[in-house]
């Protein structure tokens, strides 16, 4: 009887992938109260969570009644008192620290000649083309003093906008 490439499919991993992996839980509070022998729905109910929110909304069940009947609800998150998140932590740098050091070396040797930068295979070890170097270089030259994370030689300071 013909197997129709069954061994090939098995080796490629397209046959026999029906095992379900248990959920990977990293939170210690949930991990402590999670019972792997029970279903996910039962475990979530024990934690005070609902598995099917749309069904609960359609049945018009009262949330307060559910909280009273749940066995034990675990408080998962401590919400901080202040809602003010400093903006400095939310912003990323226009040019990464790695690219800043990369461009400083290229600017120190070639100035603003991107054609020669792209041909140097020792300093331009990432093999960026001329257009990509122009994009990174333009963003680098527009950086503020507080955005710079590398030391600038005098030849590069002349090219920078803020100097």
């Amino acid at each position: 009887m013909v197997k129709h490439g069954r061994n090939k499919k098995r080796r490629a991993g397209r046959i026999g992938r029906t095992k379900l992996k248990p959920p990977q839980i990293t939170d210690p509070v949930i991990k402590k109260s999670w019972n792997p022998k029970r279903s996910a729905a039962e475990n979530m109910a024990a934690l005070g969570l609902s598995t099917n929110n749309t069904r609960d909304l359609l049945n018009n069940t009262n949330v307060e009644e559910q909280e009273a009947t749940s066995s034990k609800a675990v408080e998962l998150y401590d919400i901080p008192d202040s809602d003010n998140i400093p903006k400095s932590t939310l912003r990323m740098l226009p040019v990464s620290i790695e690219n800043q050091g990369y461009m400083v070396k290229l600017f120190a040797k070639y100035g603003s000649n991107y054609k020669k930068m792209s041909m140097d295979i020792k300093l331009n070890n990432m093999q960026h083309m001329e257009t990509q170097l122009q994009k990174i270089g333009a963003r680098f030259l527009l950086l503020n003093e507080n955005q710079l994370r590398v030391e600038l030689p005098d030849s590069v300071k002349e090219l920078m906008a803020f100097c």
Side-chain angles (χ1 to χ4, degrees), residues 109-159:
K109 185 170 183 180
Y110 296 108
S112 60
N113 192 343
Y114 296 103
K115 181 78 172 169
K116 285 188 178 180
M117 285 182 200
S118 66
M119 288 189 223
D120 186 352
I121 59 173
K122 289 185 180 178
L123 282 182
N124 186 10
N125 57 5
M126 296 171 89
Q127 298 292 298
H128 287 309
M129 299 302 291
E130 182 181 356
T131 55
Q132 184 66 24
L133 288 170
Q134 284 176 346
K135 287 180 186 177
I136 299 171
R139 278 187 265 134
F140 176 75
L141 292 175
L142 293 175
L143 291 177
N144 300 339
E145 288 185 51
N146 58 356
Q147 293 173 333
L148 279 174
R149 302 290 190 261
V150 294
E151 290 292 324
L152 295 178
D154 293 331
S155 60
V156 179
K157 284 183 182 178
E158 295 170 1
L159 298 171

Side-chain angles (χ1 to χ4, degrees), residues 15-47:
I15 294 178
R17 293 186 294 172
T18 58
K19 286 187 178 181
L20 293 175
K21 294 181 181 178
Q24 300 296 320
I25 302 168
T26 56
D27 187 63
V29 176
I30 296 174
K31 194 174 212 175
K32 184 178 76 175
S33 59
W34 190 271
N35 186 355
K37 295 183 179 176
R38 294 169 58 192
S39 70
E42 291 172 344
N43 278 315
M44 289 180 70
L47 291 170

Side-chain angles (χ1 to χ4, degrees), residues 7 9 17 21 23 29 36 47 51-52 54 58 66 79 83 85 92-93 98 105 124 132 134 144 151-152 154:
N7 284 338
K9 292 175 188 171
R17 293 186 294 172
K21 294 181 181 178
V29 176
L47 291 170
T51 56
N52 194 347
T54 56
L58 292 175
Q66 281 186 339
I79 300 172
D83 292 332
I85 299 172
M92 292 177 45
L93 294 172
E98 180 181 299
K105 291 175 188 172
N124 186 10
Q132 184 66 24
Q134 284 176 346
N144 300 339
E151 290 292 324
L152 295 178
D154 293 331

Side-chain angles (χ1 to χ4, degrees), residues 81-93:
D81 293 336
S82 77
D83 292 332
N84 297 334
I85 299 172
K87 291 184 179 181
S88 62
T89 60
L90 297 177
R91 297 211 178 179
M92 292 177 45
L93 294 172

